[in-house]
């Protein structure tokens, strides 16, 4: 085999392996959304992906590693458009409305995160640290903007702390998504996300 042939074979093998991993993650996302982490089986996920159980283990090693890959994939699907290093309250509102719109277009992914979040309320769940960190990042971003707006005199510096207000917003948003899953189209989640954030930030 020539060097060029080896390189071509290597690229082909890499592409095939990447496609296999993506297929496994997509099937796992469906299984975790429908059955939860504990209810879904690796053998069932492998079967749905059209591969052997041993092939799944080769790519991910164990169920926890696969779960973390699914959460990473979920976040990549819903990443907001790139934000400038310096952004305004309006920029932040637009970014989160965009995420809410993407979520509405992928109800299966929202169901996945809702299922995992409910399960991860139990200490020891493998998704708990990752989901806690996701919330902490959101609280930091949203709470930080509320804090900035209060320091500018745009908002009254009274009542719940900025981080508590951020936690309330996040909890409300997640609850709205669950409600929308049960009653499709009954509420305009992106519109309500924008309305709530504009109120939290004191912008029109």
């Amino acid at each position: 085999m020539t060097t060029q042939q080896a390189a071509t074979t290597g690229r082909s093998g890499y592409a095939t392996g990447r496609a296999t991993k993506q297929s496994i993650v997509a099937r796992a996302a469906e299984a975790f959304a429908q059955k939860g982490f504990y209810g879904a089986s690796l053998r069932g996920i492998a079967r749905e992906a059209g591969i052997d159980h041993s092939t799944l283990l080769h790519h991910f090693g164990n169920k926890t590693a696969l779960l973390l890959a699914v959460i990473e994939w979920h976040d990549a699907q819903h990443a907001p458009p790139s934000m400038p290093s310096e952004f305004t309250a309006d920029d932040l509102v637009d970014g989160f409305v965009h995420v809410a719109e993407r979520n509405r277009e992928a109800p299966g992914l929202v169901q996945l995160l809702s299922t995992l979040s409910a399960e991860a309320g139990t200490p020891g769940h493998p998704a708990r640290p990752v989901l806690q960190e996701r919330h902490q990042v959101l609280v930091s971003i949203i709470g930080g903007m509320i804090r900035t707006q209060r320091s500018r005199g745009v908002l009254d510096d009274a009542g719940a702390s900025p981080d508590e207000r951020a936690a309330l917003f996040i909890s409300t948003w997640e609850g709205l998504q669950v409600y929308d899953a049960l009653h499709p189209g009954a509420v305009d989640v992106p519109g309500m996300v924008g309305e709530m954030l504009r109120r939290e930030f004191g912008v029109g």
Side-chain angles (χ1 to χ4, degrees), residues 3-13:
T3 301
Q4 184 177 359
Q5 288 173 326
T8 301
T9 301
R11 287 194 297 270
S12 176

Side-chain angles (χ1 to χ4, degrees), residues 96 132-147 161-171:
F96 279 111
Q132 286 177 326
E133 182 179 355
R134 293 174 83 257
H135 275 167
Q136 289 166 0
V137 169
L138 290 173
V139 166
S140 175
I141 294 172
I142 297 168
M145 182 56 71
I146 294 173
R147 192 171 289 108
S161 72
D163 287 356
E164 288 172 335
R165 297 297 308 177
L168 176 60
F169 164 75
I170 294 164
S171 301

